């Protein structure tokens, strides 16, 4: 285990918090439609910050630790693209005005960071106490990969979300977004706006993604600091990436299949590590550089194949995939009606 000082943790968390504050201030002070140029600039900025951190980390703690960070970052970044699919569906389902999408994404990322920090602490504790958790995490990822591959051509049904259904049932909701507020008082009655429901949907959906992404990155590294940093820097760029690529997401028709393959690969890696530790030292392990190569190769092949497919067949459309089946057309019909 790396000897990460309390000061290093504090500075890292402070940097991430400062970047989040900038996003929150910009979203609250100047609601506006984020254009391609602005989205590109912010995306490049966050990637450069993540790369600069990785270079410093490798120089400070060694090449192996740096490789683990970059592998974890790429895993989380690729999984976050699937998050973007779901974000697009949520924005469309609830007809979120363009000027409020920046705020929704920033708050959603804050919620995601908090939840993932909790999962990281819990996962690190469990792995330190019980080595068989590597087996359980591996089986979870393989199960998720199988389900994602089976339902790779489906969309998650946002309206079927438990929190969204409960909020609609028990909370009074306004008809419009009321200037991007979360709640308003109408004739002495406190009511939530659709923006509140949207935040619930994004937060709860990202909680489900954390159930996969945290075990996945623990399959690349068992250092809690690296897991946290990889997740945080991948999520920080998610808001800008949403505005940059949302028009191109429909072309990544093989992304869900590729992510299923990556999750299955990391699941096997975790199981082999468990067998190496608890069964027999002769059981081979998959080294991190090989993992990085496999993940990079899968993403490259998936991207190229998707672009070639959509060039030959312009009607082909990508889907984020779902972990369970839904009645045909249910999610699509909700989006077409613009539920809000």
């Amino acid at each position: 285990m790396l000897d990460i000082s309390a000061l290093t943790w504090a500075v890292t968390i402070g940097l991430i918090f400062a970047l989040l504050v900038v996003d929150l201030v910009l979203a609250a002070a100047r609601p506006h439609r984020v254009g391609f140029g602005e989205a590109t600039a912010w995306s490049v900025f966050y990637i450069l910050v993540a790369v600069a951190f990785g270079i410093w980390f490798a120089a400070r703690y060694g090449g192996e630790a740096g490789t683990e960070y970059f592998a974890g970052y790429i895993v989380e970044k690729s999984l976050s693209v699937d998050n973007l699919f779901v974000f697009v569906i949520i924005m469309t389902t609830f007809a979120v005005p363009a000027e409020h999408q920046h705020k929704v994404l920033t708050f959603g990322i804050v919620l995601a960071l908090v939840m993932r920090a909790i999962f990281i602490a819990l996962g690190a504790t469990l792995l330190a106490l019980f080595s068989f958790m590597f087996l359980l995490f591996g089986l979870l990822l393989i199960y998720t990969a199988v389900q994602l591959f089976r339902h790779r051509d489906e969309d998650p049904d946002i309206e079927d979300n438990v929190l969204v259904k409960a909020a609609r049932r028990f909370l009074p909701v306004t008809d419009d977004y009321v200037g991007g507020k979360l709640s308003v008082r109408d004739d002495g009655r406190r009511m939530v706006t659709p923006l509140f429901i949207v935040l619930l949907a994004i937060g709860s959906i990202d909680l489900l993604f954390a159930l996969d992404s945290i075990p996945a990155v623990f399959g690349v590294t068992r250092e809690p600091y690296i897991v946290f940093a990889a997740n945080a820097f991948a999520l920080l760029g998610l808001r800008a990436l949403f505005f940059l690529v949302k028009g191109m997401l429909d072309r990544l028709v093989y992304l869900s299949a590729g992510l299923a393959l990556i999750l299955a690969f990391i699941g096997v890696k975790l199981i082999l590590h468990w067998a190496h530790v608890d069964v027999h030292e002769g059981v081979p392990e998959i080294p991190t550089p090989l993992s990085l190569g496999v993940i990079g190769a899968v993403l490259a092949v998936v991207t190229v194949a998707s672009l070639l497919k959509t060039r030959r067949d312009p009607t082909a459309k990508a889907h984020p995939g779902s972990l369970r089946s839904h009645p045909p057309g249910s999610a699509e019909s909700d989006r077409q009606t613009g539920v809000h």
Side-chain angles (χ1 to χ4, degrees):
M1 298 294 289
L2 296 177
D3 183 18
I4 307 295
S5 67
L7 177 61
T8 301
W9 272 101
V11 171
T12 304
I13 294 173
L15 172 63
I16 293 166
F17 180 76
L19 291 171
L20 282 174
V21 168
V22 170
D23 251 0
L24 287 172
V25 170
L26 288 176
R30 195 168 64 92
H32 65 288
R33 182 189 297 271
V34 178
F36 181 82
E38 181 181 350
T40 300
W42 278 108
S43 295
V44 171
F45 169 74
Y46 281 120
I47 290 174
L48 290 177
V49 169
V51 170
F53 174 85
I55 293 173
W56 167 82
F57 187 70
R60 177 68 175 80
Y61 294 98
E64 182 178 353
T67 301
E68 290 182 358
Y69 163 76
F70 280 112
Y73 176 76
I74 292 174
V75 168
E76 292 304 314
K77 202 66 174 178
S78 61
L79 290 173
S80 71
V81 174
D82 214 33
N83 281 50
L84 293 182
F85 273 109
V86 181
F87 286 174
V88 169
I89 292 173
I90 291 174
M91 298 292 188
T92 306
T93 299
F94 294 96
V96 179
E99 63 269 22
H100 301 317
Q101 291 181 7
H102 184 152
K103 182 186 297 185
V104 168
L105 287 170
T106 304
F107 275 105
I109 292 168
V110 172
L111 291 174
L113 280 171
V114 171
M115 291 186 293
R116 293 189 185 205
I118 295 172
F119 271 87
I120 290 168
L122 179 60
T125 302
L126 291 174
L127 290 174
L129 294 176
F130 311 106
S131 59
F132 69 84
M133 290 303 301
F134 287 104
L135 173 62
L136 295 183
F137 278 3
L139 293 175
L140 172 64
L141 289 181
I142 292 175
Y143 170 79
T144 301
V146 170
Q147 291 297 101
L148 181 60
F149 186 81
R150 288 179 59 196
H151 307 298
R152 62 190 180 279
D153 295 326
E154 300 179 24
D155 295 331
D157 190 349
I158 303 302
E159 286 295 311
D160 195 40
N161 182 288
V162 174
L163 286 180
V164 171
K165 291 169 69 174
R168 286 190 176 281
R169 182 173 182 180
F170 297 109
L171 296 176
V173 184
T174 62
D175 292 329
D176 54 51
Y177 280 85
V178 196
K181 297 179 180 179
L182 296 180
S183 66
V184 295
R185 186 173 294 278
D186 184 16
D187 292 333
R189 183 189 186 195
R190 177 62 63 178
M191 302 180 69
V192 300
T193 70
L195 192 62
F196 179 83
I197 306 298
V198 170
L199 292 182
L200 278 182
I202 285 184
S204 57
I205 287 294
D206 201 85
L207 177 61
L208 296 179
F209 273 101
L211 292 173
D212 301 327
S213 64
I214 298 303
V217 75
F218 268 118
V220 175
T221 178
R222 288 174 290 282
E223 294 287 347
Y225 178 80
I226 298 178
V227 174
F228 174 77
N231 267 275
F233 285 112
L235 285 174
L236 280 175
L238 197 59
R239 189 270 310 169
L241 190 62
F242 170 85
F243 293 106
L244 180 64
V245 305
K246 66 177 180 178
M248 300 185 295
L249 287 176
D250 284 347
R251 298 190 64 187
L252 299 177
V253 292
Y254 297 125
L255 178 63
S256 293
L259 292 180
L261 182 59
I262 290 173
L263 291 177
F265 171 77
I266 298 177
V268 171
K269 185 178 189 295
L270 283 169
I271 292 174
L272 288 176
H273 175 74
W274 164 79
H276 178 83
V277 173
D278 283 5
V279 178
H280 193 275
E281 291 183 356
V283 177
E285 292 195 83
I286 300 175
T288 300
L290 177 59
S291 300
L292 182 58
V294 169
I295 293 167
V298 169
L299 291 175
V301 170
V302 163
T303 301
V304 172
S306 295
L307 296 178
L308 291 176
K309 170 68 174 177
T310 53
R311 176 178 294 180
R312 291 194 303 266
D313 180 12
T315 63
K317 181 181 178 182
H319 299 272
S322 177
L323 298 185
R324 60 192 181 95
S325 61
H326 301 290
S330 61
E332 181 67 25
S333 63
D334 284 343
R335 291 198 301 278
Q336 290 176 351
T337 56
V339 179
H340 60 277

